[in-house]
Amino acid sequence: MAVFNAINPLSWTTSVSSSPSFRNSTHSQGFESKRLTLWCSSGENASGESSKEKQMVVSVTGATGFIGRRLVQKLHQANKFPGIVLAEESDWKDSIQGSSAVVNLAGLPISTRWSPEIKKEIKESRIKVTSKVVELINSLKADVRPDVLVSATAVGYYGTSETQVFDEQSPSGNDFLAEVCREWEASALKVNKDVRVARIRIGVVLGKEGGALAKMIPLFMLFAGGPIGSGRQWFSWIHVDDIVNLIYEALSNPAYEGVINGTAPNPVRLAEMCQHLGSAMGRPSWLPVPDFALKAVLGEGATVVLEGQKVLPTRAKELGFSFKYPYIKDALKAVLSS
């Protein structure tokens, strides 16, 4: 659990000179919960008297994971916080009680080599943690219950296709990841009806610190940056800064409810992504990266890259969300220069 305190207007813009740093346990899978406490002043009331300061508290599961670390850093940079405290699962109830919002990001990364045991853990890590969070929220009285649950899910919900286009209204697919996502989301929807739920279906997140891209870069260095597999599969991606900003917005904006695709507005074929990645790395984009090379690294998990889907962020655009990196060329340059 991380407890961050600050007294500032509700502007979320104050910067700080340093950011929190975390050490990942190889056994934790990012399941640690952090609680972020923000003191917000709402100004003066109609009578001219200063209103009482209101406390906004955000509890984050998976706060030491790839996306979680960046989210915590953004919340840290929004105000000045004096300290960080980690909480084990046994203390999650104390973390969630009195929180204004909960962000649920915990789960074993899928960009890893799959085995029957890993597949089981991929599924159970998401469903069990989400169910635990929902159970704790539902056990609380209304005056200390969070108002918002932002729960991660994935575009794997839609299955894979080279021809179909998916948005938030599209049906679910019939493969392993689609099954995981359906059960994952169903767990989140069991939360108390008075809690606003935003389900963020996240695409392939681009960043150096984790995700599929971090494991693809060494292959590009070895195989000269060519296309992976057929190259015709769709690659629905999002820069890590944009997914963090989307989650951040969902915490405080009541319009962010239901399913929201966490993908950039311009998905590309994988061959185009590889061309831009090779260019950004200064590698010629001519020698294909064979399927077997990626499967050697990711096993069955290579399906995340070798099979894809074209997913559009229709709801985010309707909500007026502004993407910092709408085009993959700019996103890749930003990642590799960071």
Side-chain angles (χ1 to χ4, degrees):
M1 180 179 73
V3 182
F4 298 161
N5 298 286
I7 298 179
N8 273 314
L10 186 53
S11 61
W12 299 82
T13 58
T14 305
S15 62
V16 295
S17 58
S18 62
S19 297
S21 61
F22 310 107
R23 290 188 304 168
N24 278 324
S25 165
T26 56
H27 304 291
S28 70
Q29 316 300 355
F31 292 171
E32 296 91 346
S33 170
K34 297 185 185 300
R35 176 171 168 176
L36 304 99
T37 304
L38 311 173
W39 288 96
C40 308
S41 173
S42 58
E44 296 185 349
N45 57 28
S47 64
E49 298 176 350
S50 295
S51 60
K52 293 183 178 180
E53 288 174 338
K54 296 185 296 183
Q55 186 183 40
M56 180 174 183
V57 183
V58 182
S59 292
V60 184
T61 69
T64 58
F66 174 35
I67 299 172
R69 290 195 306 271
R70 294 292 286 265
L71 176 62
V72 169
Q73 288 169 359
K74 182 174 179 66
L75 291 167
H76 180 278
Q77 290 165 0
N79 288 281
K80 295 180 179 178
F81 305 101
I84 304 171
V85 181
L86 293 175
E88 298 299 328
E89 186 174 345
S90 59
D91 297 321
W92 281 11
K93 184 172 183 177
D94 291 336
S95 298
I96 292 173
Q97 181 170 307
S99 292
S100 308
V102 176
V103 180
N104 179 37
L105 299 173
L108 184 75
I110 63 172
S111 55
T112 187
R113 185 174 180 81
W114 290 3
S115 66
E117 294 77 17
I118 291 295
K119 288 177 69 174
K120 181 180 179 181
E121 193 169 352
I122 284 172
K123 187 175 183 179
E124 289 186 351
S125 65
R126 285 158 173 77
I127 295 167
K128 285 186 176 180
V129 172
T130 303
S131 296
K132 177 71 172 180
V133 168
V134 167
E135 177 187 343
L136 292 173
I137 292 174
N138 290 347
S139 71
L140 298 172
K141 294 181 179 180
D143 58 341
V144 292
R145 184 189 301 136
D147 299 315
V148 184
L149 171 62
V150 180
S151 196
T153 173
V155 296
Y157 175 93
Y158 302 112
T160 62
S161 175
E162 287 189 5
T163 58
Q164 289 181 272
V165 179
F166 303 99
D167 64 12
E168 289 85 353
Q169 302 301 316
S170 300
S172 182
N174 55 14
D175 58 14
F176 168 68
L177 288 180
E179 177 186 330
V180 171
C181 292
R182 284 196 302 273
E183 295 189 30
W184 194 4
E185 293 187 21
S187 298
L189 289 175
K190 292 178 182 178
V191 76
N192 185 285
K193 63 181 179 61
D194 293 329
V195 176
R196 174 170 61 88
V197 181
R199 287 170 285 154
I200 312 296
R201 289 179 184 158
I202 303 174
V204 180
V205 181
L206 303 184
K208 269 188 174 180
E209 298 90 355
L213 182 62
K215 295 192 176 183
M216 290 167 63
I217 289 175
L219 289 176
F220 272 65
M221 295 301 294
L222 181 62
F223 290 95
I228 296 176
S230 71
R232 288 192 50 77
Q233 61 271 49
W234 283 100
F235 190 76
S236 293
W237 59 277
I238 188 167
H239 190 283
V240 64
D241 287 353
D242 279 328
I243 192 61
V244 166
N245 290 340
L246 187 67
I247 294 169
Y248 184 84
E249 186 68 21
L251 287 171
S252 58
N253 190 331
Y256 281 63
E257 187 171 10
V259 176
I260 303 170
N261 286 336
T263 60
N266 297 290
V268 295
R269 298 277 187 182
L270 195 59
E272 182 180 345
M273 189 283 291
C274 293
Q275 182 179 4
H276 287 305
L277 181 56
S279 176
M281 294 176 64
R283 305 290 295 177
S285 183
W286 60 271
L287 182 61
V289 177
D291 290 12
F292 73 80
L294 199 63
K295 288 178 179 177
V297 176
L298 299 179
E300 192 180 348
T303 58
V304 176
V305 175
L306 294 174
E307 301 176 21
Q309 59 280 108
K310 184 178 183 179
V311 179
L312 301 179
T314 302
R315 185 65 184 133
K317 292 175 72 174
E318 289 173 351
L319 290 165
F321 180 78
S322 177
F323 288 88
K324 185 178 180 181
Y325 299 104
Y327 297 100
I328 197 163
K329 181 179 180 180
D330 298 327
L332 290 171
K333 283 183 177 180
V335 168
L336 292 171
S337 64
S338 63

